[in-house]
Structures are given as structure tokens and as C-alpha cells.
């Protein structure tokens, strides 16, 4: 899933402080799972904002709605009839949702309500970590299913850097060394031979380095 | 007279572009520089123009400086992060390079290593700001330097912009000036009347605007550039004159020489001559321009 984190409320206050009517829009997918932008978080943020502006003696009408997804036309269309009533929207979806909304409702200011972080997993409730950077040419088949692109601090593709100690990355902060995990996994699979092979130069043009990307599938296109 | 002094004194500076080779044999670089020794104020050494791998600008500049030529170093945001850029700029200062020109860099897709990852850690404007900081004795993290470099700083200007795009370009020029740019080198210019008006328009900004004179090689090349290269316009009479000329290379040299003369006449602060592969014709181009 796409993992996001809550934005400091001061930042959101700064965005909307001069508006009279604001809509906060949550998303029922990834950001609900990582507890940053689902229905619950929309409610919490809306109450905190109402409280803040009330204490400031300011009247701002803050409404709430949570959509199934914000990255599909179908669900974004659900607010078409009410959008014009608001001077601004705070979207608690990931950056994708914020943008799709902003493109669709071109005359409406849409603010991001979360910081979108990465594609990752829920290690345990309250702990999410990165697993994939969408490099466009997945190499997991040769690395025991563990991704060095997203999990090695130096994005090394041919074994560890020498800074790894006791299974941890040299950058510290309790980050496991990706290559330690890869080697452990290849050992468990009896496929250390894979590790011996020199990985070819990576084609970064398939990654974001090659410019904004697009997938077009003629077979499913309507 | 050093480049900076010449431009500041209102002279007409002659810059020639010399691309380092794709390879470690620098003989041709030196031979080409020798051809115009004493006739060019400084050599501008591009940093992998069009994202094609070549020896670096710093390498080319160091090599030429060593042989007594003044050079202009290009620093490019595409391939180096803020650490590498600052490291090279400090080294450049130490080996006596006095002028740097900041460029953003063409996209990787234009070049010969399509699968590479561009860096673009800092933007052109941020790099200008960083150089101002280095001159002031501080690196980008605000940490004190042991010995601050001193540079005459320049950047780029798109002379092909028109209408709203030109207004934006002028706004950017002001920003560049605010960040310490004293000169800019433009995209290749072939229409001197339009450029003369542009010079007048840009005068209040207070940055020396140096046009690029590109040595054409054939009518076909001229037509191709005119049709396909954004922001470069080549008047059709000019293309026709190459077409009709009995000796086309001579006509191309003559066109370049005349352009330089016109730029001098109209009071431009100098010119950058870009010969892209025809460096051996530099002396004739300068002859034609009576320089
Ligand atoms: S190799 Fe690329 S696509 Fe595969 S998991 Fe890593 S970043 Fe994602
Ligand atoms: S210690 Fe491991 S994860 Fe960290 S940079 Fe080195 S190889 Fe990569």
C-alpha cells in the first residue's frame, strides 16, 4: 500500500485560516490502513480544527466526507455537486488522490492533509516500512524477493557495501541491512549462486529518472 | 585582458567553445586552442552537452589552463549532487579558473546513455546561490571554508523565447542577476535585428548578454535546426544563401563571421563561437569577423 503520515496540524491551519468553508476528504484505501487519512482521521482532524478556530474566535465551517478512493474518477465524481460550496478542500488521500482531485475540480484549491511517504507494509500496528520504489523493472527474482532498490540505503545491486554490522545498515537508526536479508534468504533457498552473478547495470530510464511514467494497456483500454 | 575585466570595461569579449573529446586523448583540444591563441579571450568548455559522455568540463579547463589559456567552466546540475558540485567548484577555484557558467543540463534522453539516472539535486538557481555562498566563504551547509574561491559567474539565456515566454525568461534573468550572475550566454542567434531589440530590452537588467554564434555546416543542417530545434530560428535567406553558394563551407564561415561583426557593431558585450566539430575553422571565422 501507499504509506502516508499525518501532517502537523499547524501546517493545515496555515493553509485554511483565511477560508470560511472547507471540506475535508478522506480516502478508504491505503491511508485508512496506515491510519493517516481514513474516515476516523478525517473526524479527528475536523474536530481539532473546529476547536482551534473556535478558540481563536474564528468561524470556519468544516465539513467531512470520506470516499472509497480518490484515484478513480468514479468516486471523485461523488462530490461534484457539493464542491462549489467550499473555498478549499483538504484531502487526506495520498499525493495521487490530492492531485487527481485538483485536476478534476480545477477551480477549487485542494490542499494535502498528509505527507505521502512510500510504498510499504504494516510491520505491526503503528509501524510501517518501505518495500518498493516502483522502479519499473522488478529485479526481485534475482535477489531472493528482497528489494535492494528500496531497502539498501545506497541502492547497491551487487552485494553489501562493507558498512553492514550485525545485520544492520551503516546509516544506523535500526535499519536492517537489505543485503544481509538477501544473503540470508538466498542461503535459505540454497541459491547463493544467484548472489555470485554480477547484476547488469540498471536501466534507470524505467524508473522516475526517465521522466513521468505511464502504463497503457491497449487490451483493456475502452 | 582577463575576460571579466574586458566585459566590465565594456569591451567585446570573444569566447570560443571547445568540447573535450570523447576519450582521454586531449591532443586535438590543445591543437584547436593553439589555432586561435591570442585571438580568443577565453575558451568555454561544455559539460557533456546533449548528455553525451565526454571528458568533463573541469578536466578540459584544467588542461587548457595549464597551457596558459583562460577558460570558462560549465557546471551542470544534471550529473552531480550538491556535494560533487561544490567539490568541483572549489577545485576549479584552486586551479585558477576564474569564470563559471551554470547550466541545468539537457535531459539524459538526448544523450548516449539513456538508462542513466539524472541527478538534478539542485536547480540552476540554487547552484547560483550556492556559488555566491562559496565566494562568501561558506558551503551549502553554512560551514566555513578554508579559502573562498572567487569567480565571475554566468548562466544561460533563451534568446528564442517570445511573448509570454520571453517575459518569464526576463523574470528569470533578474533572479539570476540577484543570485550573482554577471553574464549570460544565449542560445544560438541568427536574426541580428531581433537580437538588437532584445539587447535594448534587456539593458535595464544589468547583465551582460552574450549571443552564441553557431557555425552552420550546410543548408540541410540549417533547415533541420530551424525546423526541429526549439528556440533557434534561422532566416530563410540565410539558408538559401548557403544553398546557392558554390563553396558551402566558405559561405557558412562567412555567415558566422558576419554575425559576429554585427553583434560587435550593435554593442553586444561579446560573443560565444560554437563550431561543434569544425574547430579548425575558428581562425577563418575570426578572420571574417576581423578579430
Ligand atoms: S526491484 Fe523495483 S519494482 Fe521490484 S520491489 Fe524493488 S523497487 Fe519495486
Ligand atoms: S549496510 Fe547494507 S543496506 Fe546499508 S548501505 Fe550497506 S549494503 Fe546497503
Amino acid at each position: 500500500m501507499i504509506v502516508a503520515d499525518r501532517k502537523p496540524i499547524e501546517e493545515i491551519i496555515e493553509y485554511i485560516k483565511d477560508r470560511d468553508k472547507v471540506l475535508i476528504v478522506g480516502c478508504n484505501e491505503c491511508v485508512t490502513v496506515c491510519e493517516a487519512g481514513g474516515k476516523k482521521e478525517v473526524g479527528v482532524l475536523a474536530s481539532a480544527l473546529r476547536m482551534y478556530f473556535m478558540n481563536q474566535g474564528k468561524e470556519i465551517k468544516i465539513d467531512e466526507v470520506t470516499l472509497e478512493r480518490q484515484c478513480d474518477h468514479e468516486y471523485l465524481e461523488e462530490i461534484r455537486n457539493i464542491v462549489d460550496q467550499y473555498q478549499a478542500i483538504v484531502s487526506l488521500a495520498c499525493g495521487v488522490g490530492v492531485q487527481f482531485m485538483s485536476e478534476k475540480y480545477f477551480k477549487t484549491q485542494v490542499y494535502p492533509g498528509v505527507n505521502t511517504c512510500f510504498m510499504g507494509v504494516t510491520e505491526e500496528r503503528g509501524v510501517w516500512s518501505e518495500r518498493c520504489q516502483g522502479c519499473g523493472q522488478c529485479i526481485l527474482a534475482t535477489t531472493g524477493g528482497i528489494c535492494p532498490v528500496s531497502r539498501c540505503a545506497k541502492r547497491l545491486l551487487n552485494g553489501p557495501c562493507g558498512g553492514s554490522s550485525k545485520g544492520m545498515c551503516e546509516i544506523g537508526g535500526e535499519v536492517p541491512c537489505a543485503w544481509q536479508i538477501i544473503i540470508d534468504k538466498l542461503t535459505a533457498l540454497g541459491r547463493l549462486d544467484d548472489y555470485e552473478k554480477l547484476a547488469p547495470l540498471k536501466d534507470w530510464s524505467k524508473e522516475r529518472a526517465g521522466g513521468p511514467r505511464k502504463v497503457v494497456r491497449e487490451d483493456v483500454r475502452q | 585582458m582577463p575576460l571579466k575585466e574586458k566585459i566590465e570595461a565594456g569591451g567585446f569579449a570573444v569566447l570560443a567553445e571547445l568540447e573535450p573529446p570523447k576519450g582521454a586523448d586531449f591532443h586535438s583540444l590543445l591543437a584547436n586552442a593553439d589555432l586561435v591563441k591570442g585571438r580568443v579571450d577565453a575558451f568555454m568548455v561544455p559539460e557533456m552537452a546533449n548528455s553525451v559522455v565526454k571528458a568533463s568540463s573541469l578536466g578540459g579547463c584544467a588542461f587548457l589552463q595549464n597551457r596558459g589559456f583562460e577558460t570558462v567552466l560549465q557546471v551542470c546540475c544534471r550529473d552531480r549532487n550538491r556535494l560533487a558540485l561544490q567539490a568541483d567548484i572549489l577545485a576549479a577555484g584552486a586551479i585558477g579558473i576564474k569564470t563559471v557558467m551554470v547550466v541545468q543540463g539537457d535531459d539524459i534522453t538526448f544523450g548516449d546513455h539513456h538508462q542513466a539516472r539524472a541527478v538534478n539535486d539542485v536547480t540552476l538557481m540554487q547552484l547560483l546561490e550556492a556559488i555566491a555562498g562559496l565566494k562568501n566563504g561558506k558551503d551549502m551547509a553554512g560551514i566555513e571554508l578554508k579559502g573562498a574561491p572567487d569567480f565571475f559567474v554566468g548562466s544561460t539565456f533563451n534568446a528564442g523565447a517570445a511573448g509570454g515566454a520571453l517575459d518569464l525568461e526576463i523574470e528569470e534573468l533578474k533572479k539570476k542577476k540577484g543570485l550573482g550572475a554577471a553574464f549570460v550566454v544565449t542560445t544560438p542567434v541568427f536574426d541580428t535585428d531581433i537580437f538588437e531589440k532584445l539587447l535594448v530590452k534587456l539593458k535595464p537588467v544589468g547583465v551582460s548578454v552574450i549571443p552564441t554564434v553557431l557555425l552552420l555546416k550546410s543548408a540541410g543542417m540549417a533547415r533541420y535546426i530551424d525546423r526541429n530545434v526549439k528556440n533557434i530560428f534561422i532566416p530563410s535567406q540565410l539558408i538559401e544563401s548557403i544553398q546557392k553558394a558554390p563553396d558551402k563551407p566558405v559561405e557558412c564561415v562567412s555567415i558566422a563571421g558576419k554575425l559576429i561583426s554585427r553583434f560587435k557593431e550593435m554593442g553586444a558585450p561579446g560573443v560565444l563561437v560554437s563550431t561543434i566539430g569544425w574547430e579548425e575553422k575558428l581562425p577563418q571565422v575570426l578572420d571574417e569577423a576581423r578579430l
Side-chain angles (χ1 to χ4, degrees):
Chain A
M1 77 180 130
I2 293 174
V3 178
D5 199 1
R6 293 166 308 169
K7 255 194 190 303
I9 190 160
E10 299 76 32
E11 225 178 284
I12 298 173
I13 289 170
E14 201 45 44
Y15 299 150
I16 64 167
K17 63 179 197 304
D18 299 323
R19 314 283 183 165
D20 305 322
K21 268 186 103 180
V22 173
L23 180 65
I24 302 184
V25 189
C27 174
N28 236 338
E29 299 277 356
C30 308
V31 287
T32 296
V33 183
C34 63
E35 304 188 37
K39 191 164 191 233
K40 193 179 89 202
E41 290 74 32
V42 169
V44 172
L45 176 66
S47 317
L49 288 171
R50 282 183 205 115
M51 190 88 82
Y52 172 85
F53 288 114
M54 203 174 73
N55 287 337
Q56 298 287 309
K58 258 195 150 174
E59 247 188 71
I60 300 189
K61 184 169 164 31
I62 295 173
D63 290 339
E64 313 167 23
V65 62
T66 294
L67 306 176
E68 195 51 37
R69 275 201 288 282
Q70 292 189 29
C71 49
D72 270 318
H73 286 301
E74 183 187 348
Y75 303 106
L76 276 185
E77 281 299 329
E78 289 171 9
I79 55 169
R80 179 165 298 279
N81 293 333
I82 59 166
V83 161
D84 287 344
Q85 303 168 19
Y86 301 93
Q87 292 159 335
I89 287 175
V90 177
S91 162
L92 296 201
C94 70
V96 177
V98 178
Q99 289 180 68
F100 217 34
M101 175 110 68
S102 193
E103 288 164 34
K104 188 182 268 298
Y105 300 117
F106 216 72
K107 289 195 179 136
T108 305
Q109 169 84 58
V110 184
Y111 294 114
V114 299
N115 289 323
T116 305
C117 301
F118 48 75
M119 286 188 266
V121 297
T122 311
E123 285 189 18
E124 58 187 81
R125 186 151 181 223
V127 181
W128 295 274
S129 61
E130 183 162 21
R131 287 296 183 278
C132 176
Q133 293 186 343
C135 76
Q137 200 183 40
C138 193
I139 57 166
L140 290 178
T142 56
T143 57
I146 311 292
C147 171
V149 178
S150 55
R151 300 183 67 188
C152 166
K154 297 175 187 163
R155 294 176 138 196
L156 300 179
L157 300 181
N158 276 295
C161 65
S164 169
S165 105
K166 299 201 183 82
M168 301 309 267
C169 173
E170 69 172 17
I171 63 167
E174 311 260 298
V175 180
C177 168
W179 275 101
Q180 182 72 55
I181 309 173
I182 294 171
I183 291 167
D184 290 349
K185 172 85 189 196
L186 290 175
T187 308
L189 294 173
R191 297 205 49 180
L192 261 182
D193 287 355
D194 279 358
Y195 173 63
E196 302 295 329
K197 289 179 203 138
L198 190 64
L201 274 174
K202 190 157 174 62
D203 179 359
W204 292 110
S205 70
K206 303 272 192 287
E207 194 235 22
R208 174 60 184 85
R213 295 165 289 172
K214 197 173 203 166
V215 173
V216 181
R217 284 265 311 275
E218 293 303 344
D219 57 333
V220 290
R221 209 172 179 183
Q222 284 167 353
Chain B
M1 199 191 288
L3 180 66
K4 175 173 185 251
E5 280 73 44
K6 187 152 189 185
I7 292 180
E8 285 176 353
F12 185 74
V14 181
L15 293 167
E17 188 175 274
L18 276 191
E19 273 218 81
K22 192 183 190 78
D25 180 352
F26 275 35
H27 278 101
S28 59
L29 189 67
L30 182 60
N32 289 328
D34 277 337
L35 284 178
V36 286
K37 198 172 186 159
R39 302 178 72 185
V40 161
D41 293 293
F43 291 107
M44 205 278 288
V45 185
E47 175 71 7
M48 291 186 273
N50 297 314
S51 306
V52 171
V53 169
K54 302 226 163 128
S56 66
S57 177
L58 182 58
C61 287
F63 184 81
L64 292 171
Q65 292 266 141
N66 229 337
R67 281 151 181 87
F69 294 105
E70 182 169 351
T71 61
V72 178
L73 174 80
Q74 258 198 10
V75 280
C76 166
C77 304
R78 180 191 58 227
D79 312 310
R80 288 174 171 77
N81 69 6
R82 62 191 85 180
L83 277 77
L85 285 166
Q86 293 181 96
D88 281 355
I89 293 166
L90 292 176
I95 61 174
I97 294 171
K98 296 201 186 72
T99 308
V100 295
M101 176 181 165
V102 178
V103 303
Q104 185 68 43
D106 300 311
D107 195 76
I108 292 276
T109 49
F110 290 109
D112 61 355
H113 284 63
H114 297 153
Q115 301 188 348
R117 186 157 34 135
V119 177
N120 294 320
D121 173 30
V122 296
T123 63
L124 191 155
M125 297 291 178
Q126 290 166 330
L127 186 50
L128 281 171
E129 194 176 27
I131 293 171
L134 294 175
K135 284 171 72 172
N136 229 344
K138 295 243 166 73
D139 73 8
M140 286 175 85
I143 298 165
E144 200 96 14
L145 300 171
K146 189 168 169 226
D150 190 20
F151 293 115
F152 185 46
V153 183
S155 186
T156 50
F157 185 85
N158 176 8
L166 178 60
D167 295 339
L168 265 183
E169 195 66 24
I170 295 174
E171 278 316 303
E172 292 209 348
L173 184 65
K174 290 180 189 158
K175 244 200 230 169
K176 287 174 182 167
K177 152 125 182 154
L179 295 169
F183 72 92
V184 285
V185 176
T186 73
T187 41
V189 180
F190 291 93
D191 192 321
T192 48
D193 292 343
I194 293 183
F195 188 76
E196 191 164 17
K197 288 190 195 107
L198 184 66
L199 263 191
V200 173
K201 192 164 180 166
L202 296 178
K203 186 138 193 155
V205 183
V207 173
S208 299
V209 180
I210 300 174
T212 292
V213 168
L214 179 72
L215 176 60
L216 296 168
K217 291 180 176 168
S218 65
M221 173 198 188
R223 212 173 298 113
Y224 179 86
I225 291 179
D226 186 51
R227 281 193 195 141
N228 300 301
V229 181
K230 258 194 304 185
N231 302 312
I232 306 184
F233 306 101
I234 306 184
S236 52
Q237 317 92 278
L238 224 152
I239 301 177
E240 278 161 30
S241 79
I242 304 175
Q243 227 163 11
K244 288 190 191 130
D247 188 332
K248 299 184 190 332
V250 164
E251 178 63 14
C252 289
V253 165
S254 149
I255 289 173
K258 286 193 188 109
L259 283 169
I260 299 173
S261 301
R262 270 292 288 137
F263 290 133
K264 192 172 176 189
E265 249 171 57
M266 70 175 71
V271 75
L272 170 73
V273 189
S274 171
T275 40
I276 42 169
W278 270 10
E279 285 73 20
E280 75 278 2
K281 296 201 191 302
L282 257 175
Q284 285 118 278
V285 173
L286 297 181
D287 289 347
E288 192 73 39
R290 298 208 188 77
L291 285 168

